[in-house]
């Protein structure tokens, strides 16, 4: 039996092809019949040819679905359960998972990369299902829930790292919480969403971003900057916008150099966190915040397409004509 | 009236010269008759010609002494008080000081640099005395107390930043506190001190440092690395020794590039803090720890010299023949 799947064959070369129905291979595996699969911004890196990778794998790491089979050692989900998946797998058994570093699980696989086939397909095989699938909360519909695979918990982690740095126990005098939040983007549509949620939109290339930040902070610069996109220019801007003793929280995937020297870092007294978010470790906390605020995200998805139109979905997203694309097998 | 003072005229050119007796210039100033003044490792950067600076100023930023005059707005110390000074001044009135970022006080001056004359002299003028001088605890003798100007609170801050990162609230499962501490140095004498205090000494150039760290951590790498010296090779080694999701706490003064790329930082999921320690903000806490452990530091000073022998003191320290040099005017 075969399934329809979205396969990348090279930059700008997305094809929907027949692939074999995935089957349980290891005791910790589960098979999920995919209900919806999102296209993530990080998938634009290989799509645009900006990331070194091999091709030929099934794309996708944001998804919801129904469990159709489980391996003998899976305990947290069962056949028939409605679930959502996380963008990378976590075994929950290794030293790193046990410390909460589920982002660097020793068995971790990033779905939809050369490491393992992804979820933009009718079915997906999920290794280490106990750490990689979560039961779906009944009150959240599929296309919204797909945001919990990566972008919401990753963004939440990026923000919480920034806030926790500014409230770290050694410097107890520092003001807690967030005041003014500026959102920098190039896409008008996303900026409008940011504004609707209470952020102050700043349009890259048009607005004077540094002037706005300096004006809001009596000339000091931002207390914290969250870099979400994995782009050297964004990281450079984030560093530049920070005040001294500010925190740079970077959750984007970077392939370049760091845009500041050790001297600049010393002079800015910077603190920094970089890398993949430990979404499994923070999932319960992030999900609670998401469920409480679900009404704010009803506009999140702009395009819903059948899986067969995946190539169009990638192109719309890459050319910034879509805010968020959901594929339905 | 004139005083004897240690003046740097260029790399390896330290001279003891007559300078005018300093006087109160601003309402927040104090004048201190210096009892002892230390030579700090960071002063070896200009001494060795490794740091771009102008010359001709009085050196020194570690000191104890007796207050001989105060400006009209000084409230925390009075004439006759036994005090110790901090390596950089903090006004305690600006936004940064009020947040606890006394390291980046907007009026901050680093003593003994081209910014302002230092304390390796019979008298020193101390701006913003309320934030820059501390009353001396009677139970700590002068030469030990001079460690509280910079090296102890800076080292304490570096260590506490590392520990607080590993216990940050987002990842509550992480083990608290420190287990094994490796101390990397080239000076046999300092390594022996490190061992006496409970650290495991590793000699740079002789011991296989990475192998020792990997062996102690089941091959993972160090949970945290504290870089104290302001040297690109040390920063590079610290990065290399860290496990993924480890923390690099750097309090040395750097003038070079960062020895890792954004891709390496992402892949290591690093967190990092860099820059000058906010010694005034953490002073009470650090002092309490220092007083509790004062018996451990009795060997800290290896050479006591009259101020007139300052040139010899710098040379002994620079050539690693002295562990710590104290000058007495």
């Amino acid at each position: 039996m075969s399934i329809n799947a979205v396969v990348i064959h090279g930059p700008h070369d997305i094809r929907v092809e027949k692939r074999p129905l995935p089957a349980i291979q290891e005791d910790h595996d589960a098979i999920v019949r995919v209900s919806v699969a999102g296209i993530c911004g990080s998938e634009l890196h290989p799509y645009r040819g900006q990331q070194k990778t091999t091709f030929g794998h099934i794309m996708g790491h944001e998804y919801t679905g129904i469990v159709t089979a489980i391996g003998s050692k899976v305990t947290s989900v069962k056949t028939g359960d409605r679930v959502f998946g996380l963008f990378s797998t976590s075994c929950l058994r290794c030293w790193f998972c046990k410390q909460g570093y589920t982002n660097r699980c020793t068995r971790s696989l990033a779905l939809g990369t050369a490491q393992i086939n992804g979820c933009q397909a009718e079915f997906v095989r999920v290794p280490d299902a106990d750490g990689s699938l979560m039961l779906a909360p009944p009150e959240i519909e599929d296309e919204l829930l797909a945001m919990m695979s990566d972008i919401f918990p990753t963004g939440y982690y990026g923000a919480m790292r920034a806030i926790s740095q500014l409230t770290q126990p050694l410097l107890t005098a520092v003001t807690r919480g967030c005041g003014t939040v500026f959102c920098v983007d190039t896409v008008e549509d996303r900026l409008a969403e940011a504004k609707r949620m209470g952020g102050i939109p700043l349009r890259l290339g048009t607005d004077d971003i540094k002037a706005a930040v300096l004006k809001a902070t009596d000339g000091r610069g931002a207390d914290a900057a969250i870099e979400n996109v994995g782009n050297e220019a964004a990281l450079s801007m984030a560093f530049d916008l920070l005040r001294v003793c500010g925190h740079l929280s970077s959750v984007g995937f970077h392939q370049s150099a760091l845009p500041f020297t050790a001297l600049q870092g010393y002079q800015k007294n910077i603190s920094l966190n970089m890398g993949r978010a430990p979404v499994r470790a923070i999932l319960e906390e992030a999900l609670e915040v998401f469920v409480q605020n679900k009404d704010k995200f009803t506009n999140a998805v702009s395009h819903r397409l059948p899986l067969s139109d995946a190539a169009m979905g990638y192109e719309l997203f890459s050319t910034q004509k879509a805010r968020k694309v959901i594929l339905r097998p």
Side-chain angles (χ1 to χ4, degrees), chain A:
Chain A
M1 189 184 154
S2 67
I3 61 168
N4 291 307
V6 178
V7 176
I8 188 165
H9 284 279
H12 299 276
D13 186 0
I14 294 285
R15 304 178 207 165
V16 178
E17 297 177 352
K18 295 287 179 191
R19 289 292 175 107
L21 177 69
I24 299 289
Q25 294 178 19
E26 296 180 18
D27 294 341
H28 290 281
D29 285 0
I31 305 296
V32 174
R33 176 164 53 74
V34 176
S35 303
V36 304
I39 303 177
C40 181
S42 64
E43 296 185 287
L44 296 179
H45 294 316
Y47 181 75
R48 289 169 173 164
Q50 294 160 341
Q51 182 178 338
K52 280 183 194 167
T53 178
T54 57
F55 296 99
H57 55 269
I58 302 172
M59 296 289 277
H61 58 251
E62 301 177 347
Y63 64 109
T64 69
I66 306 293
V67 177
T68 57
I70 58 172
S72 62
K73 291 191 176 162
V74 173
T75 61
S76 66
V77 297
K78 60 182 192 306
T79 302
D81 280 345
R82 181 173 169 253
V83 294
F84 63 100
L86 305 183
F87 75 92
S88 63
T89 66
S90 306
C91 73
L92 305 187
R93 303 182 299 277
C94 72
W95 186 92
F96 288 94
C97 279
K98 285 177 181 168
Q99 308 300 313
Y101 303 127
T102 53
N103 42 344
R104 294 296 169 190
C105 169
T106 55
R107 288 171 47 89
S108 181
L109 296 168
L111 256 67
T113 70
Q115 294 180 334
I116 188 168
N117 280 323
C119 62
Q120 291 169 4
E122 290 176 288
F123 289 83
V124 59
R125 180 177 78 87
V126 183
D128 290 319
D130 284 332
S132 314
L133 292 175
M134 306 292 298
L135 288 173
E139 67 270 41
I140 309 283
E141 59 178 329
D142 283 327
E143 65 173 42
L144 212 52
L145 192 57
M147 291 178 66
M148 284 305 300
S149 296
D150 180 352
I151 58 177
F152 186 84
T154 291
Y156 178 80
Y157 174 77
M160 291 307 288
R161 279 300 293 253
I163 293 168
S164 70
Q165 284 295 325
L166 295 174
T167 56
Q168 49 126 333
L170 266 184
L171 297 172
T172 45
V174 172
T175 315
R176 285 171 190 274
C178 289
T180 308
V181 178
F182 291 101
C183 304
V184 180
D185 209 312
T186 53
V187 183
E188 209 58 60
D189 206 22
R190 286 205 287 255
L191 288 167
E193 271 305 288
K195 187 174 180 183
R196 207 175 59 81
M197 292 195 192
I200 300 173
L202 290 173
R203 196 176 200 287
L204 194 64
T206 310
D207 292 328
D208 188 336
I209 293 161
K210 189 157 187 181
V213 170
L214 290 178
K215 191 177 173 192
T217 56
D218 290 333
R220 291 189 299 270
D223 297 317
I226 306 165
E227 187 283 319
N228 292 305
V229 292
N231 170 304
E232 189 171 0
L235 203 58
S236 180
M237 173 185 286
F239 182 83
D240 188 46
L241 292 176
L242 279 182
R243 63 159 163 78
V244 290
C245 303
H247 184 78
L248 204 172
S249 182
S250 168
V251 290
F253 172 57
H254 290 278
Q255 302 178 81
S256 58
L258 276 169
F260 57 94
T261 66
L263 174 61
Q264 290 170 316
Y266 180 92
Q267 285 171 331
K268 189 151 265 188
N269 262 80
I270 196 172
S271 69
L272 165 73
N273 66 274
M274 299 191 75
R276 181 190 287 177
V279 289
R280 181 61 190 82
I282 61 154
L283 210 276
E284 284 86 352
E285 182 181 328
L287 184 58
E288 196 181 321
V289 173
F290 188 74
V291 169
Q292 281 164 4
N293 292 278
K294 68 184 166 66
D295 294 343
K296 291 185 182 156
F297 299 109
T298 47
N299 270 352
V301 175
S302 62
H303 289 67
R304 297 152 186 91
L305 300 173
L307 195 72
S308 53
D309 284 342
M312 187 206 300
Y314 272 84
E315 194 56 21
L316 286 167
F317 193 38
S318 180
T319 53
Q320 305 191 332
K321 297 190 180 81
R323 195 168 57 241
K324 184 72 182 174
V325 179
I326 289 286
L327 303 174
R328 287 186 176 267

